[in-house]
PDB file of all heavy atoms in Angstrom:
ATOM      1  N   VAL A  76      22.283  15.661  71.476  1.00  0.00           N
ATOM      2  CA  VAL A  76      23.212  14.895  72.374  1.00  0.00           C
ATOM      3  C   VAL A  76      24.111  15.873  73.092  1.00  0.00           C
ATOM      4  O   VAL A  76      24.294  15.787  74.403  1.00  0.00           O
ATOM      5  CB  VAL A  76      23.996  13.830  71.625  1.00  0.00           C
ATOM      6  CG1 VAL A  76      25.148  13.263  72.567  1.00  0.00           C
ATOM      7  CG2 VAL A  76      23.098  12.783  71.149  1.00  0.00           C
ATOM      8  N   LEU A  77      24.811  16.677  72.435  1.00  0.00           N
ATOM      9  CA  LEU A  77      25.820  17.614  73.100  1.00  0.00           C
ATOM     10  C   LEU A  77      25.069  18.607  73.958  1.00  0.00           C
ATOM     11  O   LEU A  77      25.654  18.912  75.087  1.00  0.00           O
ATOM     12  CB  LEU A  77      26.732  18.156  72.066  1.00  0.00           C
ATOM     13  CG  LEU A  77      27.427  17.250  71.107  1.00  0.00           C
ATOM     14  CD1 LEU A  77      28.204  17.957  70.023  1.00  0.00           C
ATOM     15  CD2 LEU A  77      28.425  16.428  72.080  1.00  0.00           C
ATOM     16  N   LEU A  78      24.068  19.338  73.454  1.00  0.00           N
ATOM     17  CA  LEU A  78      23.495  20.270  74.331  1.00  0.00           C
ATOM     18  C   LEU A  78      22.717  19.686  75.513  1.00  0.00           C
ATOM     19  O   LEU A  78      22.619  20.393  76.526  1.00  0.00           O
ATOM     20  CB  LEU A  78      22.504  21.215  73.530  1.00  0.00           C
ATOM     21  CG  LEU A  78      23.146  22.287  72.772  1.00  0.00           C
ATOM     22  CD1 LEU A  78      22.061  23.068  71.887  1.00  0.00           C
ATOM     23  CD2 LEU A  78      23.887  23.253  73.584  1.00  0.00           C
ATOM     24  N   THR A  79      22.208  18.541  75.241  1.00  0.00           N
ATOM     25  CA  THR A  79      21.550  17.832  76.381  1.00  0.00           C
ATOM     26  C   THR A  79      22.537  17.573  77.601  1.00  0.00           C
ATOM     27  O   THR A  79      22.173  17.912  78.693  1.00  0.00           O
ATOM     28  CB  THR A  79      20.870  16.571  75.916  1.00  0.00           C
ATOM     29  OG1 THR A  79      19.889  16.839  75.018  1.00  0.00           O
ATOM     30  CG2 THR A  79      20.152  15.844  77.119  1.00  0.00           C
ATOM     31  N   LEU A  80      23.656  17.138  77.188  1.00  0.00           N
ATOM     32  CA  LEU A  80      24.620  16.826  78.237  1.00  0.00           C
ATOM     33  C   LEU A  80      25.042  18.198  78.959  1.00  0.00           C
ATOM     34  O   LEU A  80      25.137  18.246  80.137  1.00  0.00           O
ATOM     35  CB  LEU A  80      25.840  16.075  77.596  1.00  0.00           C
ATOM     36  CG  LEU A  80      25.578  14.676  77.184  1.00  0.00           C
ATOM     37  CD1 LEU A  80      26.848  14.109  76.443  1.00  0.00           C
ATOM     38  CD2 LEU A  80      25.281  13.835  78.370  1.00  0.00           C
ATOM     39  N   ALA A  81      25.254  19.186  78.033  1.00  0.00           N
ATOM     40  CA  ALA A  81      25.728  20.474  78.703  1.00  0.00           C
ATOM     41  C   ALA A  81      24.727  21.082  79.542  1.00  0.00           C
ATOM     42  O   ALA A  81      24.978  21.580  80.661  1.00  0.00           O
ATOM     43  CB  ALA A  81      26.119  21.462  77.520  1.00  0.00           C
ATOM     44  N   ALA A  82      23.466  21.102  79.065  1.00  0.00           N
ATOM     45  CA  ALA A  82      22.275  21.676  79.834  1.00  0.00           C
ATOM     46  C   ALA A  82      22.099  20.877  81.131  1.00  0.00           C
ATOM     47  O   ALA A  82      21.860  21.489  82.150  1.00  0.00           O
ATOM     48  CB  ALA A  82      21.128  21.774  78.945  1.00  0.00           C
ATOM     49  N   MET A  83      22.018  19.582  80.939  1.00  0.00           N
ATOM     50  CA  MET A  83      21.804  18.735  82.139  1.00  0.00           C
ATOM     51  C   MET A  83      22.827  18.952  83.217  1.00  0.00           C
ATOM     52  O   MET A  83      22.551  19.174  84.380  1.00  0.00           O
ATOM     53  CB  MET A  83      21.798  17.213  81.845  1.00  0.00           C
ATOM     54  CG  MET A  83      20.560  16.758  81.142  1.00  0.00           C
ATOM     55  SD  MET A  83      20.641  15.047  80.621  1.00  0.00           S
ATOM     56  CE  MET A  83      22.027  14.293  81.364  1.00  0.00           C
ATOM     57  N   PHE A  84      24.065  19.046  82.717  1.00  0.00           N
ATOM     58  CA  PHE A  84      25.142  19.257  83.775  1.00  0.00           C
ATOM     59  C   PHE A  84      25.080  20.729  84.386  1.00  0.00           C
ATOM     60  O   PHE A  84      25.477  20.916  85.537  1.00  0.00           O
ATOM     61  CB  PHE A  84      26.521  18.889  83.340  1.00  0.00           C
ATOM     62  CG  PHE A  84      26.755  17.429  83.152  1.00  0.00           C
ATOM     63  CD1 PHE A  84      27.076  16.879  81.941  1.00  0.00           C
ATOM     64  CD2 PHE A  84      26.532  16.577  84.191  1.00  0.00           C
ATOM     65  CE1 PHE A  84      27.139  15.453  81.672  1.00  0.00           C
ATOM     66  CE2 PHE A  84      26.732  15.157  84.048  1.00  0.00           C
ATOM     67  CZ  PHE A  84      27.062  14.640  82.859  1.00  0.00           C
TER      68      PHE A  84
END
Side-chain angles (χ1 to χ4, degrees):
V76 167
L77 298 173
L78 277 178
T79 297
L80 290 173
M83 281 179 10
F84 289 122

